[in-house]
């Protein structure tokens, strides 16, 4: 256990979540369109790989 504790002090992990994710969540881009929303048909042929 002591060996693991000493080794784990040297671990470096990137920040999670990234600053970009935090910023996007905190200040989302919202479309300000006043047009009513309508559903469309999906382009199924574009979804096939």
């Amino acid at each position: 256990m002591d060996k693991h504790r000493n080794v784990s002090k040297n671990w470096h992990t990137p920040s999670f979540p990234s600053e970009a994710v935090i910023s996007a969540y905190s200040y989302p881009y919202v479309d300000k369109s006043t047009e009513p929303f309508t559903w469309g048909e999906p382009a199924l042929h574009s979804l096939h790989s």
Side-chain angles (χ1 to χ4, degrees), residues 18-36:
S18 70
E19 292 295 323
V21 171
I22 293 171
S23 178
Y25 183 79
S26 300
Y27 307 102
Y29 172 75
V30 179
D31 185 3
K32 304 214 185 315
S33 174
T34 57
E35 293 180 33

Side-chain angles (χ1 to χ4, degrees):
M1 188 114 170
D2 290 332
K3 182 179 179 183
H4 177 75
R5 188 175 295 121
N6 291 334
V7 171
S8 67
K9 290 178 183 177
N10 297 323
W11 290 351
H12 174 68
T13 56
S15 63
F16 179 81
S18 70
E19 292 295 323
V21 171
I22 293 171
S23 178
Y25 183 79
S26 300
Y27 307 102
Y29 172 75
V30 179
D31 185 3
K32 304 214 185 315
S33 174
T34 57
E35 293 180 33
F37 180 80
T38 58
W39 287 97
E41 291 292 321
L44 296 178
H45 57 78
S46 298
L47 299 175
H48 294 277
S49 54

